[in-house]
Coordinates of all heavy atoms in Angstrom, one line a residue:
M930 N 0.8 -1.2 0.0 CA 0.0 0.0 0.0 C 0.9 1.2 0.0 O 2.0 1.2 0.5 CB -0.9 0.0 1.2 CG -1.8 -1.2 1.4 SD -3.0 -1.5 0.1 CE -4.3 -0.4 0.6
I931 N 0.4 2.3 -0.5 CA 1.1 3.5 -0.6 C 1.5 4.1 0.8 O 2.6 4.6 1.0 CB 0.4 4.6 -1.4 CG1 1.2 5.8 -1.8 CG2 -0.9 5.1 -0.7 CD1 2.3 5.5 -2.8
G932 N 0.6 3.9 1.8 CA 0.9 4.3 3.1 C 2.1 3.6 3.7 O 2.9 4.2 4.5
D933 N 2.3 2.3 3.4 CA 3.5 1.6 3.8 C 4.7 2.2 3.3 O 5.7 2.4 4.0 CB 3.4 0.1 3.4 CG 2.2 -0.6 4.1 OD1 2.4 -1.0 5.2 OD2 1.2 -0.8 3.4
L934 N 4.7 2.5 2.0 CA 5.9 3.1 1.4 C 6.2 4.5 1.9 O 7.4 4.9 2.2 CB 5.7 3.2 -0.1 CG 5.6 1.9 -0.9 CD1 5.4 2.1 -2.4 CD2 6.8 1.0 -0.6
M935 N 5.2 5.3 2.2 CA 5.3 6.6 2.8 C 5.9 6.5 4.2 O 6.8 7.3 4.5 CB 4.0 7.4 2.7 CG 3.6 7.7 1.3 SD 1.9 8.3 1.2 CE 2.0 9.9 2.0
A936 N 5.4 5.6 5.0 CA 5.9 5.4 6.3 C 7.4 5.0 6.3 O 8.2 5.5 7.1 CB 5.0 4.4 7.1
L937 N 7.7 4.1 5.4 CA 9.1 3.6 5.3 C 10.0 4.7 4.9 O 11.1 4.9 5.4 CB 9.2 2.4 4.4 CG 10.5 1.8 4.2 CD1 11.1 1.4 5.5 CD2 10.5 0.6 3.2
A938 N 9.5 5.5 3.9 CA 10.3 6.7 3.4 C 10.5 7.7 4.5 O 11.6 8.2 4.7 CB 9.6 7.3 2.2
R939 N 9.5 7.9 5.3 CA 9.6 8.9 6.5 C 10.7 8.3 7.4 O 11.5 9.1 7.9 CB 8.3 9.0 7.2 CG 7.4 10.0 6.7 CD 6.3 10.3 7.7 NE 5.5 9.1 8.1 CZ 4.5 8.6 7.4 NH1 4.1 9.2 6.3 NH2 3.8 7.6 7.9
G940 N 10.7 7.0 7.7 CA 11.6 6.5 8.6 C 13.1 6.5 8.1 O 14.0 6.8 8.9
I941 N 13.3 6.2 6.9 CA 14.7 6.1 6.4 C 15.2 7.4 5.8 O 16.4 7.5 5.5 CB 14.8 5.0 5.3 CG1 14.0 5.3 4.1 CG2 14.4 3.6 5.9 CD1 14.3 4.4 2.9
A942 N 14.4 8.4 5.7 CA 14.9 9.7 5.2 C 16.0 10.3 6.0 O 16.9 11.0 5.5 CB 13.7 10.7 5.0
S943 N 16.0 10.0 7.3 CA 17.1 10.5 8.1 C 18.4 9.7 8.1 O 19.4 10.1 8.7 CB 16.6 10.7 9.6 OG 16.2 9.4 10.1
L944 N 18.3 8.5 7.5 CA 19.5 7.7 7.4 C 20.4 8.2 6.3 O 20.0 8.9 5.4 CB 19.1 6.3 7.0 CG 18.3 5.5 8.0 CD1 18.0 4.1 7.5 CD2 19.0 5.4 9.4
P945 N 21.7 7.9 6.4 CA 22.6 8.3 5.3 C 22.2 7.6 4.0 O 21.7 6.4 4.1 CB 24.0 7.8 5.7 CG 23.9 7.6 7.2 CD 22.4 7.3 7.5
A946 N 22.2 8.2 2.9 CA 21.8 7.7 1.6 C 22.3 6.3 1.3 O 21.5 5.5 0.9 CB 22.1 8.7 0.5
P947 N 23.6 6.0 1.6 CA 24.0 4.6 1.3 C 23.4 3.5 2.1 O 23.4 2.4 1.7 CB 25.5 4.7 1.6 CG 25.9 6.1 1.5 CD 24.7 6.9 2.0
D948 N 22.8 3.9 3.2 CA 22.2 2.9 4.1 C 20.7 2.6 3.8 O 20.2 1.7 4.4 CB 22.4 3.3 5.6 CG 23.8 3.4 6.0 OD1 24.7 2.8 5.3 OD2 24.0 4.1 7.0
R949 N 20.1 3.4 3.0 CA 18.7 3.3 2.8 C 18.2 2.1 2.1 O 17.2 1.5 2.5 CB 18.2 4.6 2.0 CG 18.3 5.8 2.9 CD 17.8 7.0 2.1 NE 18.1 8.2 2.9 CZ 18.3 9.4 2.3 NH1 18.3 9.6 1.0 NH2 18.6 10.4 3.1
A950 N 19.0 1.6 1.1 CA 18.5 0.4 0.4 C 18.5 -0.8 1.3 O 17.6 -1.6 1.3 CB 19.5 0.2 -0.8
F951 N 19.6 -0.9 2.1 CA 19.6 -2.0 3.0 C 18.5 -2.0 4.1 O 17.9 -3.0 4.4 CB 21.0 -2.1 3.8 CG 21.1 -3.2 4.7 CD1 21.3 -4.5 4.3 CD2 21.0 -3.0 6.1 CE1 21.4 -5.6 5.2 CE2 21.1 -4.0 7.0 CZ 21.3 -5.3 6.6
A952 N 18.2 -0.7 4.5 CA 17.1 -0.5 5.5 C 15.8 -0.9 4.9 O 14.9 -1.6 5.5 CB 17.1 0.9 5.9
C953 N 15.6 -0.6 3.6 CA 14.3 -1.0 2.9 C 14.2 -2.5 2.8 O 13.2 -3.1 3.1 CB 14.3 -0.4 1.5 SG 13.9 1.4 1.5
Q954 N 15.3 -3.2 2.4 CA 15.3 -4.6 2.3 C 15.0 -5.3 3.6 O 14.2 -6.2 3.7 CB 16.7 -5.1 1.7 CG 16.8 -6.6 1.6 CD 18.2 -7.0 1.2 OE1 19.1 -6.2 1.0 NE2 18.4 -8.3 1.2
T955 N 15.6 -4.8 4.6 CA 15.4 -5.3 6.0 C 13.9 -5.1 6.4 O 13.3 -6.0 7.0 CB 16.3 -4.6 7.0 OG1 17.7 -4.8 6.6 CG2 16.1 -5.1 8.4
A956 N 13.4 -3.9 6.1 CA 12.0 -3.7 6.4 C 11.0 -4.7 5.8 O 10.1 -5.2 6.4 CB 11.6 -2.2 6.0
F957 N 11.2 -5.0 4.5 CA 10.4 -5.9 3.8 C 10.5 -7.3 4.4 O 9.5 -8.0 4.6 CB 10.6 -5.9 2.3 CG 9.9 -4.7 1.6 CD1 10.6 -3.6 1.3 CD2 8.6 -4.8 1.3 CE1 10.0 -2.5 0.7 CE2 7.9 -3.8 0.7 CZ 8.6 -2.6 0.4
E958 N 11.8 -7.7 4.7 CA 12.0 -9.1 5.2 C 11.4 -9.2 6.6 O 10.7 -10.2 6.9 CB 13.5 -9.3 5.3 CG 14.1 -9.5 3.9 CD 15.6 -9.6 3.9 OE1 16.2 -9.4 5.0 OE2 16.2 -9.7 2.9
R959 N 11.5 -8.2 7.4 CA 11.0 -8.3 8.8 C 9.5 -8.2 8.8 O 8.8 -8.8 9.7 CB 11.7 -7.3 9.7 CG 13.2 -7.6 9.9 CD 13.9 -6.8 10.9 NE 15.2 -7.3 11.0 CZ 16.2 -6.6 11.7 NH1 15.9 -5.5 12.2 NH2 17.4 -7.1 11.8
A960 N 8.9 -7.4 8.0 CA 7.5 -7.3 7.9 C 6.9 -8.7 7.4 O 5.9 -9.1 8.0 CB 7.1 -6.2 6.9
H961 N 7.6 -9.3 6.5 CA 7.2 -10.6 6.1 C 7.2 -11.6 7.2 O 6.3 -12.4 7.4 CB 8.1 -11.1 4.9 CG 7.7 -12.4 4.3 ND1 6.6 -12.6 3.6 CD2 8.4 -13.6 4.3 CE1 6.5 -13.9 3.2 NE2 7.6 -14.5 3.7
V962 N 8.3 -11.6 8.0 CA 8.4 -12.5 9.1 C 7.3 -12.2 10.1 O 6.7 -13.1 10.7 CB 9.8 -12.5 9.8 CG1 9.9 -13.2 11.1 CG2 10.9 -13.0 8.8
A963 N 7.1 -10.9 10.4 CA 6.1 -10.5 11.4 C 4.7 -11.0 10.9 O 3.8 -11.4 11.7 CB 6.1 -9.0 11.6
D964 N 4.4 -10.9 9.6 CA 3.1 -11.4 9.1 C 3.0 -12.9 9.3 O 1.9 -13.3 9.7 CB 3.1 -11.0 7.6 CG 1.7 -11.4 7.0 OD1 0.7 -11.0 7.6 OD2 1.7 -12.0 6.0
K965 N 4.0 -13.6 9.1 CA 3.9 -15.1 9.3 C 3.7 -15.4 10.8 O 2.9 -16.3 11.1 CB 5.2 -15.8 8.8 CG 5.5 -15.7 7.4 CD 4.7 -16.6 6.6 CE 5.1 -16.6 5.1 NZ 4.1 -17.3 4.3
Y966 N 4.4 -14.6 11.6 CA 4.2 -14.8 13.1 C 2.8 -14.5 13.5 O 2.2 -15.3 14.3 CB 5.2 -13.8 13.8 CG 5.2 -13.9 15.3 CD1 6.2 -14.7 15.9 CD2 4.3 -13.2 16.1 CE1 6.2 -14.8 17.3 CE2 4.3 -13.3 17.4 CZ 5.3 -14.1 18.1 OH 5.3 -14.2 19.4
R967 N 2.3 -13.4 13.0 CA 0.9 -13.0 13.3 C -0.1 -14.1 12.9 O -1.0 -14.4 13.7 CB 0.5 -11.7 12.7 CG -0.8 -11.2 13.0 CD -1.2 -9.9 12.1 NE -0.9 -10.1 10.7 CZ -1.8 -10.7 9.9 NH1 -2.9 -11.1 10.3 NH2 -1.5 -10.8 8.6
K968 N 0.1 -14.6 11.7 CA -0.8 -15.6 11.2 C -0.7 -16.9 12.0 O -1.7 -17.6 12.3 CB -0.6 -15.9 9.8 CG -1.0 -14.8 8.9 CD -0.6 -15.1 7.4 CE -1.1 -13.9 6.5 NZ -0.6 -14.1 5.1
R969 N 0.5 -17.3 12.4 CA 0.7 -18.5 13.2 C 0.2 -18.4 14.6 O -0.4 -19.3 15.2 CB 2.1 -18.9 13.1 CG 2.4 -20.2 13.9 CD 3.7 -20.8 13.7 NE 3.8 -22.0 14.4 CZ 4.6 -23.0 14.1 NH1 5.3 -22.9 13.1 NH2 4.6 -24.1 14.9
F970 N 0.6 -17.3 15.3 CA 0.3 -17.2 16.7 C -0.9 -16.3 17.1 O -1.3 -16.3 18.3 CB 1.6 -16.7 17.5 CG 2.7 -17.6 17.3 CD1 3.8 -17.3 16.5 CD2 2.7 -18.9 18.0 CE1 4.9 -18.2 16.4 CE2 3.8 -19.7 17.9 CZ 4.9 -19.4 17.1
G971 N -1.4 -15.6 16.1 CA -2.6 -14.8 16.4 C -2.3 -13.6 17.2 O -3.3 -13.0 17.8
R972 N -1.1 -13.1 17.2 CA -0.8 -11.9 17.9 C 0.4 -11.2 17.2 O 1.0 -11.7 16.3 CB -0.4 -12.1 19.3 CG 0.8 -13.0 19.5 CD 1.0 -13.3 21.0 NE 2.2 -14.1 21.2 CZ 2.2 -15.4 21.3 NH1 1.0 -16.1 21.3 NH2 3.3 -16.1 21.5
L973 N 0.6 -9.9 17.5 CA 1.7 -9.1 16.9 C 3.0 -9.7 17.2 O 3.2 -10.2 18.3 CB 1.6 -7.7 17.3 CG 0.3 -6.9 17.1 CD1 0.4 -5.5 17.6 CD2 -0.1 -6.9 15.6
H974 N 3.9 -9.5 16.3 CA 5.3 -9.9 16.6 C 5.8 -8.8 17.6 O 5.6 -7.6 17.4 CB 6.2 -9.8 15.3 CG 7.6 -10.3 15.5 ND1 8.5 -9.5 16.0 CD2 8.1 -11.5 15.1 CE1 9.7 -10.2 16.1 NE2 9.4 -11.4 15.5
P975 N 6.5 -9.3 18.6 CA 6.9 -8.3 19.7 C 7.9 -7.2 19.3 O 7.9 -6.1 19.9 CB 7.6 -9.2 20.7 CG 7.9 -10.5 20.1 CD 6.9 -10.6 18.9
K976 N 8.7 -7.4 18.2 CA 9.6 -6.4 17.8 C 9.2 -5.8 16.5 O 9.6 -4.7 16.2 CB 11.0 -7.0 17.7 CG 11.6 -7.3 19.0 CD 13.0 -7.8 18.9 CE 13.6 -8.2 20.2 NZ 15.0 -8.7 20.1
W977 N 8.5 -6.5 15.6 CA 8.4 -6.1 14.2 C 6.9 -5.8 13.8 O 6.6 -5.6 12.7 CB 9.0 -7.1 13.3 CG 10.5 -7.3 13.5 CD1 11.3 -6.4 14.1 CD2 11.2 -8.4 13.3 NE1 12.6 -6.9 14.2 CE2 12.6 -8.2 13.7 CE3 11.0 -9.7 12.7 CZ2 13.6 -9.1 13.5 CZ3 12.0 -10.6 12.6 CH2 13.3 -10.3 13.0
G978 N 6.0 -5.9 14.8 CA 4.7 -5.4 14.5 C 3.7 -6.4 13.9 O 3.8 -7.6 14.1
N979 N 2.8 -5.8 13.1 CA 1.6 -6.6 12.6 C 1.8 -7.2 11.3 O 0.9 -7.8 10.7 CB 0.4 -5.7 12.5 CG 0.6 -4.5 11.6 OD1 1.6 -4.4 10.9 ND2 -0.5 -3.7 11.5
G980 N 3.0 -7.1 10.7 CA 3.2 -7.8 9.4 C 3.1 -6.8 8.2 O 3.3 -7.2 7.1
S981 N 2.9 -5.6 8.5 CA 2.9 -4.6 7.4 C 4.2 -3.8 7.5 O 4.9 -3.7 8.5 CB 1.7 -3.6 7.6 OG 1.9 -2.7 8.7
V982 N 4.6 -3.3 6.3 CA 5.8 -2.4 6.3 C 5.6 -1.2 7.1 O 6.5 -0.7 7.8 CB 6.1 -2.1 4.8 CG1 7.3 -1.1 4.7 CG2 6.5 -3.4 4.0
M983 N 4.4 -0.6 7.1 CA 4.1 0.5 7.9 C 4.3 0.2 9.4 O 4.9 1.0 10.2 CB 2.7 1.1 7.7 CG 2.4 2.3 8.5 SD 0.6 2.8 8.4 CE 0.6 3.4 6.7
G984 N 3.7 -0.9 9.8 CA 3.9 -1.3 11.2 C 5.3 -1.5 11.6 O 5.7 -1.0 12.7
F985 N 6.1 -2.1 10.8 CA 7.6 -2.2 11.1 C 8.2 -0.8 11.1 O 9.0 -0.5 12.1 CB 8.3 -3.1 10.1 CG 9.7 -3.1 10.2 CD1 10.3 -3.9 11.2 CD2 10.6 -2.3 9.5 CE1 11.7 -3.9 11.5 CE2 11.9 -2.3 9.7 CZ 12.5 -3.1 10.7
A986 N 7.9 0.0 10.1 CA 8.6 1.3 10.1 C 8.2 2.2 11.3 O 9.1 2.9 11.8 CB 8.2 2.0 8.8
M987 N 7.0 2.1 11.7 CA 6.6 2.9 12.9 C 7.3 2.4 14.1 O 7.6 3.2 15.0 CB 5.1 2.9 13.0 CG 4.4 3.7 11.9 SD 2.6 3.6 11.9 CE 2.3 4.7 13.3
L988 N 7.6 1.1 14.3 CA 8.3 0.6 15.4 C 9.8 0.9 15.3 O 10.4 1.2 16.3 CB 8.0 -0.9 15.6 CG 6.6 -1.2 16.0 CD1 6.4 -2.7 15.9 CD2 6.4 -0.8 17.5
A989 N 10.3 0.7 14.1 CA 11.8 0.8 14.0 C 12.3 2.2 13.9 O 13.4 2.5 14.3 CB 12.2 0.0 12.7
Y990 N 11.6 3.1 13.2 CA 12.0 4.4 13.0 C 11.0 5.4 13.6 O 10.0 5.8 13.0 CB 12.1 4.7 11.5 CG 13.0 3.7 10.8 CD1 12.4 2.8 9.9 CD2 14.3 3.7 10.9 CE1 13.2 1.8 9.3 CE2 15.1 2.8 10.2 CZ 14.5 1.9 9.4 OH 15.3 1.0 8.8
R991 N 11.3 5.8 14.8 CA 10.4 6.7 15.5 C 10.8 8.2 15.2 O 11.2 8.9 16.1 CB 10.5 6.4 17.0 CG 10.0 5.0 17.3 CD 10.3 4.6 18.7 NE 10.3 3.2 18.8 CZ 9.3 2.5 19.4 NH1 8.4 3.1 20.1 NH2 9.3 1.2 19.5
T992 N 10.7 8.5 14.0 CA 11.0 9.9 13.6 C 9.8 10.7 13.4 O 8.7 10.2 13.3 CB 11.8 9.8 12.2 OG1 11.0 9.2 11.2 CG2 13.1 9.0 12.3
R993 N 10.0 12.0 13.3 CA 8.9 12.9 13.1 C 8.9 13.6 11.7 O 8.3 14.5 11.5 CB 8.9 14.0 14.2 CG 8.7 13.4 15.5 CD 8.6 14.5 16.6 NE 8.4 13.9 17.9 CZ 8.0 14.5 18.9 NH1 7.6 15.8 18.8 NH2 7.9 13.9 20.1
T994 N 9.7 13.0 10.9 CA 9.8 13.5 9.5 C 8.4 13.4 8.8 O 7.7 12.5 9.0 CB 10.7 12.7 8.7 OG1 12.0 12.6 9.3 CG2 10.9 13.2 7.3
Q995 N 8.0 14.5 8.1 CA 6.8 14.6 7.4 C 7.0 14.2 6.0 O 8.1 14.2 5.5 CB 6.2 16.0 7.5 CG 5.9 16.4 8.9 CD 4.8 15.6 9.6 OE1 3.8 15.3 8.9 NE2 5.0 15.1 10.8
D996 N 5.9 13.8 5.3 CA 5.9 13.6 3.9 C 6.0 14.9 3.2 O 5.1 15.6 3.0 CB 4.6 12.9 3.4 CG 4.3 11.6 4.2 OD1 5.3 11.0 4.7 OD2 3.1 11.3 4.3
D997 N 7.3 15.2 2.8 CA 7.5 16.5 2.2 C 8.2 16.3 0.9 O 9.4 16.1 0.8 CB 8.4 17.4 3.1 CG 8.6 18.8 2.6 OD1 8.1 19.1 1.5 OD2 9.4 19.5 3.3
L998 N 7.5 16.5 -0.2 CA 8.1 16.2 -1.5 C 9.0 17.3 -2.0 O 9.7 17.2 -3.0 CB 6.9 16.1 -2.6 CG 6.1 14.8 -2.4 CD1 4.9 14.8 -3.4 CD2 6.9 13.6 -2.5
S999 N 9.2 18.4 -1.2 CA 10.2 19.4 -1.5 C 11.5 19.0 -0.8 O 12.5 19.7 -1.0 CB 9.7 20.8 -1.1 OG 9.6 20.8 0.3
D1000 N 11.5 18.0 0.0 CA 12.7 17.6 0.7 C 13.4 16.5 -0.1 O 12.9 15.4 -0.3 CB 12.3 17.0 2.1 CG 13.5 16.5 2.9 OD1 14.7 16.6 2.4 OD2 13.3 15.9 4.0
P1001 N 14.6 16.8 -0.6 CA 15.3 15.8 -1.5 C 15.6 14.5 -0.7 O 15.5 13.4 -1.4 CB 16.6 16.5 -1.8 CG 16.4 17.9 -1.6 CD 15.3 18.0 -0.5
A1002 N 15.8 14.5 0.6 CA 16.1 13.3 1.3 C 14.8 12.4 1.3 O 14.9 11.2 1.2 CB 16.6 13.6 2.7
Y1003 N 13.7 13.0 1.6 CA 12.4 12.2 1.6 C 12.1 11.7 0.2 O 11.7 10.5 0.1 CB 11.2 13.1 2.0 CG 9.9 12.3 2.0 CD1 9.6 11.4 2.9 CD2 9.1 12.6 0.9 CE1 8.4 10.7 2.8 CE2 7.9 11.8 0.8 CZ 7.6 10.9 1.8 OH 6.4 10.2 1.7
C1004 N 12.3 12.5 -0.9 CA 12.1 12.0 -2.2 C 13.0 10.8 -2.6 O 12.6 9.8 -3.1 CB 12.3 13.1 -3.2 SG 11.0 14.4 -3.2
D1005 N 14.3 10.9 -2.2 CA 15.2 9.8 -2.4 C 14.8 8.6 -1.6 O 14.8 7.5 -2.1 CB 16.6 10.2 -2.0 CG 17.6 9.2 -2.3 OD1 17.8 8.7 -3.5 OD2 18.2 8.7 -1.3
A1006 N 14.4 8.8 -0.4 CA 13.9 7.7 0.5 C 12.7 7.0 -0.1 O 12.5 5.8 -0.1 CB 13.7 8.2 1.9
F1007 N 11.7 7.8 -0.6 CA 10.5 7.3 -1.2 C 10.9 6.4 -2.5 O 10.3 5.3 -2.7 CB 9.5 8.4 -1.6 CG 8.2 7.8 -2.0 CD1 7.3 7.4 -1.0 CD2 7.9 7.7 -3.3 CE1 6.0 6.9 -1.4 CE2 6.6 7.2 -3.7 CZ 5.7 6.8 -2.7
A1008 N 11.8 7.0 -3.3 CA 12.2 6.2 -4.5 C 12.9 4.9 -4.1 O 12.7 3.9 -4.7 CB 13.1 7.1 -5.3
C1009 N 13.7 5.0 -3.0 CA 14.3 3.8 -2.5 C 13.3 2.7 -2.1 O 13.4 1.5 -2.4 CB 15.3 4.1 -1.4 SG 16.3 2.8 -0.8
A1010 N 12.3 3.2 -1.3 CA 11.2 2.3 -0.9 C 10.5 1.7 -2.0 O 10.2 0.5 -2.0 CB 10.3 3.0 0.1
L1011 N 10.2 2.5 -3.0 CA 9.5 2.0 -4.2 C 10.3 0.9 -5.0 O 9.8 -0.1 -5.4 CB 9.1 3.1 -5.1 CG 8.2 2.8 -6.3 CD1 6.9 2.2 -5.8 CD2 7.9 4.1 -7.1
D1012 N 11.6 1.2 -5.1 CA 12.5 0.3 -5.7 C 12.6 -1.0 -4.9 O 12.6 -2.1 -5.5 CB 13.9 0.9 -5.9 CG 14.8 0.0 -6.8 OD1 14.4 -0.3 -7.9 OD2 15.9 -0.3 -6.3
A1013 N 12.7 -0.9 -3.6 CA 12.7 -2.1 -2.8 C 11.5 -2.9 -2.9 O 11.5 -4.2 -2.9 CB 12.9 -1.7 -1.3
L1014 N 10.3 -2.3 -3.0 CA 9.1 -3.0 -3.2 C 9.1 -3.8 -4.5 O 8.7 -5.0 -4.6 CB 7.9 -2.0 -3.3 CG 6.5 -2.7 -3.6 CD1 6.1 -3.7 -2.6 CD2 5.5 -1.6 -3.8
K1015 N 9.6 -3.2 -5.6 CA 9.7 -3.8 -6.9 C 10.6 -5.1 -6.8 O 10.3 -6.2 -7.2 CB 10.2 -2.9 -8.0 CG 10.3 -3.5 -9.3 CD 10.7 -2.5 -10.4 CE 12.2 -2.2 -10.3 NZ 12.7 -1.4 -11.4
T1016 N 11.8 -4.9 -6.1 CA 12.7 -6.0 -6.0 C 12.1 -7.1 -5.1 O 12.3 -8.3 -5.4 CB 14.0 -5.4 -5.3 OG1 14.6 -4.4 -6.1 CG2 15.0 -6.5 -5.1
W1017 N 11.4 -6.7 -4.0 CA 10.8 -7.7 -3.2 C 9.7 -8.5 -3.9 O 9.7 -9.7 -3.8 CB 10.1 -7.0 -2.0 CG 9.4 -8.0 -1.1 CD1 8.0 -8.1 -1.0 CD2 9.9 -8.9 -0.2 NE1 7.7 -9.1 -0.1 CE2 8.8 -9.6 0.4 CE3 11.2 -9.2 0.2 CZ2 9.0 -10.6 1.4 CZ3 11.4 -10.2 1.2 CH2 10.3 -10.9 1.8
R1018 N 8.9 -7.8 -4.7 CA 7.8 -8.5 -5.5 C 8.5 -9.5 -6.5 O 8.0 -10.6 -6.6 CB 6.9 -7.5 -6.2 CG 6.1 -6.7 -5.3 CD 5.0 -7.5 -4.7 NE 4.1 -6.7 -3.9 CZ 3.5 -7.1 -2.8 NH1 3.6 -8.4 -2.4 NH2 2.7 -6.3 -2.1
L1019 N 9.5 -9.1 -7.1 CA 10.2 -10.0 -8.1 C 10.8 -11.2 -7.4 O 10.7 -12.3 -7.9 CB 11.3 -9.2 -8.9 CG 10.8 -8.2 -9.9 CD1 11.9 -7.4 -10.5 CD2 10.1 -9.0 -11.1
S1020 N 11.4 -11.0 -6.3 CA 12.0 -12.1 -5.5 C 11.0 -13.1 -5.1 O 11.2 -14.3 -5.1 CB 12.9 -11.6 -4.4 OG 12.1 -11.1 -3.3
Q1021 N 9.8 -12.6 -4.6 CA 8.7 -13.4 -4.2 C 8.1 -14.2 -5.3 O 7.8 -15.4 -5.2 CB 7.7 -12.6 -3.4 CG 8.2 -12.0 -2.1 CD 8.7 -13.1 -1.2 OE1 8.0 -14.0 -0.8 NE2 10.0 -13.0 -0.9
S1022 N 8.0 -13.6 -6.5 CA 7.4 -14.3 -7.6 C 8.4 -15.4 -8.1 O 8.0 -16.5 -8.6 CB 7.1 -13.4 -8.8 OG 8.2 -12.8 -9.3
R1023 N 9.7 -15.2 -8.0 CA 10.7 -16.2 -8.4 C 10.7 -17.3 -7.4 O 10.9 -18.5 -7.8 CB 12.1 -15.6 -8.5 CG 12.3 -14.7 -9.7 CD 13.7 -14.2 -9.8 NE 13.8 -13.2 -10.8 CZ 14.3 -12.0 -10.6 NH1 14.8 -11.7 -9.4 NH2 14.3 -11.1 -11.5
R1024 N 10.4 -17.0 -6.2 CA 10.4 -18.1 -5.1 C 9.3 -19.1 -5.4 O 9.4 -20.3 -5.2 CB 10.1 -17.5 -3.8 CG 11.3 -17.6 -2.9 CD 11.1 -16.9 -1.6 NE 10.3 -17.9 -0.7 CZ 9.8 -17.6 0.4 NH1 9.8 -16.4 0.9 NH2 9.2 -18.5 1.1
T1025 N 8.1 -18.6 -5.9 CA 7.0 -19.5 -6.1 C 7.2 -20.3 -7.4 O 6.5 -21.3 -7.6 CB 5.7 -18.7 -6.2 OG1 5.8 -17.7 -7.3 CG2 5.4 -18.0 -4.9
C1026 N 8.1 -19.8 -8.3 CA 8.3 -20.5 -9.6 C 9.4 -21.5 -9.5 O 9.6 -22.2 -10.5 CB 8.6 -19.5 -10.7 SG 7.2 -18.4 -11.0
I1027 N 10.1 -21.6 -8.4 CA 11.2 -22.5 -8.3 C 10.8 -24.0 -8.5 O 11.6 -24.7 -9.1 CB 12.0 -22.3 -7.0 CG1 12.7 -21.0 -7.0 CG2 13.0 -23.4 -6.7 CD1 13.3 -20.6 -5.7
S1028 N 9.7 -24.4 -8.0 CA 9.3 -25.8 -8.1 C 8.8 -26.2 -9.5 O 8.6 -27.4 -9.7 CB 8.2 -26.0 -7.1 OG 7.0 -25.3 -7.4
E1029 N 8.6 -25.2 -10.4 CA 8.2 -25.6 -11.7 C 9.4 -26.1 -12.5 O 10.5 -25.7 -12.4 CB 7.6 -24.3 -12.4 CG 6.4 -23.8 -11.8 CD 5.9 -22.5 -12.4 OE1 6.4 -22.2 -13.5 OE2 5.0 -21.9 -11.9
P1030 N 9.1 -27.1 -13.3 CA 10.2 -27.7 -14.1 C 10.7 -26.7 -15.2 O 9.9 -25.9 -15.7 CB 9.6 -28.9 -14.8 CG 8.1 -28.7 -14.8 CD 7.8 -27.8 -13.6
P1031 N 12.0 -26.7 -15.5 CA 12.5 -25.8 -16.5 C 11.9 -26.1 -17.9 O 11.5 -27.3 -18.2 CB 14.0 -26.0 -16.5 CG 14.2 -27.4 -15.9 CD 13.0 -27.6 -15.0
D1032 N 11.9 -25.2 -18.8 CA 11.4 -25.4 -20.2 C 12.3 -26.2 -21.0 O 13.4 -26.2 -20.9 CB 11.1 -24.0 -20.8 CG 10.0 -23.3 -20.2 OD1 9.1 -23.9 -19.6 OD2 10.0 -22.0 -20.3

């Protein structure tokens, strides 16, 4: 959801630019684990939230940065979050195709 990307961008905007891609990757991985935990145990993950990227970002990055498209750091962070989403979706689609026989 767009709100997840905005929350993640708000959180990572204050990080040094070289660290943002890793932070995004970590956010998607931990949100995924938290989602699995929530489904299995019926409660929130104690450190990573409800399984959404927004939930993780709000717990991990307690910043007060606003969504400000005039701020270059926020714009870069949002682009990074969007790129991480694309990478995450591609990796997940490849994971489901591994069991299929090659052509």
Side-chain angles (χ1 to χ4, degrees):
M930 304 295 277
I931 190 73
D933 293 279
L934 295 179
M935 292 167 71
L937 182 56
R939 273 193 304 274
I941 66 169
S943 61
L944 297 177
D948 297 342
R949 291 179 188 151
F951 180 76
C953 285
Q954 177 185 356
T955 300
F957 280 97
E958 290 170 359
R959 291 185 177 172
H961 182 68
V962 169
D964 185 49
K965 297 284 187 189
Y966 183 94
R967 180 187 53 81
K968 288 176 181 175
R969 179 169 181 155
F970 297 108
R972 62 181 181 268
L973 302 180
H974 188 281
K976 292 184 181 179
W977 301 333
N979 64 1
S981 70
V982 173
M983 181 186 293
F985 173 78
M987 292 176 73
L988 289 170
Y990 305 107
R991 298 169 198 249
T992 61
R993 296 184 183 201
T994 305
Q995 297 297 314
D996 304 334
D997 184 1
L998 295 175
S999 66
D1000 178 6
Y1003 176 77
C1004 289
D1005 181 62
F1007 189 81
C1009 185
L1011 189 57
D1012 188 53
L1014 173 63
K1015 182 175 78 173
T1016 301
W1017 174 258
R1018 292 285 183 214
L1019 286 171
S1020 73
Q1021 293 304 297
S1022 68
R1023 288 187 190 124
R1024 250 180 81 190
T1025 60
C1026 295
I1027 289 174
S1028 62
E1029 295 178 10
D1032 291 334

